[in-house]
Amino acid sequence: MPSENPLKILIVDDEPLARARLRELLGDIAVQLPSAVVGEAVNGLAALDFLRENPVDVVLADIRMPGMDGIELAGHLGALAKPPAIIFTTAYDNYAVQAFDLNAVDYLLKPVRAQRLLTALHKVAAAPPLNPELLGSIGQAVRGSGRTHLSCQERGRLLLVPVAEVLYFKADLKYVTARTIEREYLLDEALTHLENEYAERFIRLHRAVLVARSALAGFEKAAGDDAEAYGWALLRGVPEKLPVSRRQWAPAKALVKSA
């Protein structure tokens, strides 16, 4: 690789010593493979904030990090205009096979060695796309829960939606709307996938609606001639009512009574 075109690298790790170690190693191999560390981040959220304005060629990301881990970060990278390649770093060798299942460029076991880093970076040009079907399941295995954020494109920009702030998901044609107190977001997600990923946080009210358990305030029966719903769910913090199917009416009401 010519020296005038060094690899632009973002280092993502919550441990300052680990970031410093990677910087040092990149300096050690600079003759064989020129690179420039253009930024550092302490977790996936900070990394995505940086990447919105600063495209890079490679992300060196730890797998276990607070706030947003490396696996979830990898899932959001595909929504960027120019997705960078990702190389995972980890102290846990049991993630190695999973990293390759995802089609990550490579994984580096800590403490990272210069030659292994060089080998991994040489693979960047031929890196295949990440495997999105495995990202969710492997991420849940890493953190024991679903993604902390969902991503969407709005006017050419990547937006992150904190799952903890979502009141409900509503399917409409090929998109799903996520509603928070402040606003709505259009997601390219499947409602059934969201239902499986967040089974402990959301329940189904209707074939097209999932609602956060904590958002339910009460219910009212629909008018006899209302073809859209058997009943309506009332929510905390927003005026909208959500349709409840006959099948979900009793389970949903029982949930509110037991809260």
Side-chain angles (χ1 to χ4, degrees):
M1 183 171 295
S3 58
E4 63 269 19
N5 293 312
L7 276 179
K8 293 181 180 178
I9 295 176
L10 172 65
I11 299 174
V12 189
D13 199 304
D14 59 313
E15 299 179 1
L17 290 178
R19 299 197 303 272
R21 168 74 174 168
L22 286 173
R23 273 187 175 274
E24 180 181 341
L25 292 176
L26 288 166
D28 291 344
I29 62 174
V31 173
Q32 298 101 308
L33 197 156
S35 64
V37 177
V38 296
E40 296 184 7
V42 297
N43 60 24
L45 284 171
L48 289 168
D49 190 49
F50 178 87
L51 290 168
R52 285 189 185 97
E53 305 295 337
N54 305 276
V56 303
D57 301 305
V58 186
V59 174
L60 296 175
D62 190 19
I63 287 182
R64 282 187 176 272
M65 294 179 288
M68 181 187 288
D69 60 49
I71 301 293
E72 183 171 351
L73 167 63
H76 293 302
L77 292 181
L80 294 171
K82 294 183 178 180
I86 188 164
I87 296 172
F88 289 121
T89 63
T90 177
Y92 305 93
D93 59 4
N94 56 308
Y95 295 142
V97 173
Q98 296 175 339
F100 279 118
D101 285 342
L102 291 171
N103 288 340
V105 172
D106 207 340
Y107 74 95
L108 303 172
L109 283 176
K110 297 178 179 180
V112 178
R113 306 299 182 189
Q115 188 57 47
R116 274 294 289 123
L117 178 58
L118 180 62
T119 299
L121 290 172
H122 274 307
K123 298 178 182 179
V124 166
L130 288 168
N131 187 332
E133 294 181 4
L134 288 174
L135 280 168
S137 59
I138 293 177
Q140 285 184 291
V142 169
R143 74 185 77 90
S145 61
R147 292 166 288 173
T148 61
H149 292 71
L150 302 170
S151 56
C152 70
Q153 286 283 348
E154 190 172 282
R155 294 189 289 275
R157 290 182 60 83
L158 173 67
L159 298 182
L160 293 178
V161 186
V163 175
E165 296 179 11
V166 175
L167 303 176
Y168 64 80
F169 297 109
K170 193 170 185 179
D172 182 18
L173 299 177
K174 71 174 193 172
Y175 290 101
V176 168
T177 297
R179 176 70 156 99
T180 67
I181 290 286
E182 290 80 19
R183 54 165 295 183
E184 294 181 345
Y185 299 86
L186 279 181
L187 309 177
D188 187 11
E189 298 268 357
L191 202 65
T192 51
H193 179 80
L194 293 168
E195 182 179 22
N196 292 332
E197 185 172 358
Y198 301 109
E200 294 185 1
R201 182 182 290 272
F202 294 87
I203 64 166
R204 187 174 286 274
L205 293 182
H206 184 274
R207 60 182 172 77
V209 177
L210 299 176
V211 66
R213 297 167 184 259
S214 60
L216 284 170
F219 297 88
E220 63 181 35
K221 202 70 174 290
D225 59 350
D226 195 330
E228 185 178 353
Y230 181 75
W232 297 94
L234 310 179
L235 305 177
R236 305 180 195 279
V238 292
E240 296 100 312
K241 299 177 183 179
L242 297 176
V244 185
S245 67
R246 181 184 294 273
R247 181 179 179 182
Q248 299 300 328
W249 180 254
K253 287 189 71 177
L255 181 68
V256 171
K257 287 181 181 178
S258 65

